[in-house]
Amino acid sequence: MNTIARKIMAMAIAVSFCFGLASCSNASKGSKLNTVASGKLTMATNATFPPYEYHEGDKIVGIDAEIAKAIADKLGLELVIEDVAFDSIIAGVQSGKYDIGCAGMTVTEDRLKSVNFSTSYATGIQSIIVKEDSPIKTVDDLLKGDYKVGVQSGTTGDIYMSDTDGGVGEDRIDRYNNGNDAVVALSSGKVDAVCIDNEPAKAYVAANQGLKILESPYTEEKYAIAVSKSNEALLAEINKALDELTKDGTIAKIIEKYIPTK
Ligand code: ARG
């Protein structure tokens, strides 16, 4: 090989090496992170919570699924979504079964005792769904009457409603595995109202005839990603990714796609 040919070859090797480095820089970052399954970001959710997570054919889509995918991409990890009971997510993250819980999950003092939460990426408010012809016109009617309320087990709706202070109390609560079952129970008259976050409430009312939403007195909740207390490094990387995705408009774009304001 003459000198020119050698120089060209050396340059080609250098160029392909650089491209190689650029494309695998995320992946090498991912493999350094300590996750449940190496190279993967295992997310627990409960996919009955449109527009945050729901089934579309055999896929789980929604705001949380897309935000988690964008984070996983930044971290060089492959996103794996596990659809589980909502009230098993915190314990699963705490025990190291899942890397993250991403499920329109509200940050609460109580949950903070078991897991860490990322920076908040969205907000929600508890709403009350009733039948269109319901005698319940206000939340006050609901609290004062002898009405049954359906909730998804372990959610903030469950927590607020089962309290006698501001809710209807334990005896008048029916707990369901998911929001959809609670709404089915409302449509069939098993319960008189459902307490659930405002965006899924809107989606359920749009998808089922004869239902409407009452204003609730509950204040704004912050949604964030639950991460094990023993994986501070992952939490830091997730917060960094969330910060970048907020600054470059990705989060706003994802939310706008599922909750259009125009
Ligand atoms: N925001 C409420 C909570 O954290 C309800 C979340 C329910 N999420 C779900 N994917 N089903 O308790």
Side-chain angles (χ1 to χ4, degrees), residues 44-46 83-95 97-98 105 153-154:
T45 197
N46 173 261
D83 189 13
V84 302
F86 181 77
D87 57 9
S88 72
I89 297 177
I90 296 276
V93 169
Q94 193 181 16
S95 71
K97 200 167 169 191
Y98 317 116
M105 189 173 283
S153 185

Side-chain angles (χ1 to χ4, degrees), residues 44-50 52-54 64 83-87 89 102-108 111 117 124-126 152-159 177-179 196-197 200 204 221-223:
T45 197
N46 173 261
T48 60
F49 202 69
Y52 287 91
E53 44 267 333
Y54 56 100
D64 288 339
D83 189 13
V84 302
F86 181 77
D87 57 9
I89 297 177
C102 186
M105 189 173 283
T106 306
V107 181
T108 70
R111 290 173 182 165
F117 277 102
I125 301 167
Q126 295 303 309
Q152 178 176 19
S153 185
T155 58
T156 41
D158 180 2
I159 297 162
N177 279 336
N178 59 62
I196 194 164
D197 305 49
Y204 279 127
E221 302 177 1
K222 290 196 181 317
Y223 293 167

Side-chain angles (χ1 to χ4, degrees), residues 31-110:
S31 61
K32 275 193 213 114
L33 279 169
N34 183 15
T35 54
V36 172
S38 165
K40 296 184 174 157
L41 184 68
T42 308
M43 152 178 163
T45 197
N46 173 261
T48 60
F49 202 69
Y52 287 91
E53 44 267 333
Y54 56 100
H55 287 267
E56 207 170 73
D58 57 0
K59 271 185 75 185
I60 293 173
V61 298
I63 295 171
D64 288 339
E66 289 205 23
I67 290 180
K69 173 79 173 71
I71 292 173
D73 284 350
K74 276 204 179 282
L75 267 49
L77 296 168
E78 181 199 336
L79 180 69
V80 177
I81 303 183
E82 305 243 10
D83 189 13
V84 302
F86 181 77
D87 57 9
S88 72
I89 297 177
I90 296 276
V93 169
Q94 193 181 16
S95 71
K97 200 167 169 191
Y98 317 116
D99 294 309
I100 59 170
C102 186
M105 189 173 283
T106 306
V107 181
T108 70
E109 287 300 317
D110 209 41

Side-chain angles (χ1 to χ4, degrees), residues 19 55 135 159 167 186 191 248:
F19 276 118
H55 287 267
I159 297 162
L186 172 62
V191 295
D248 74 5

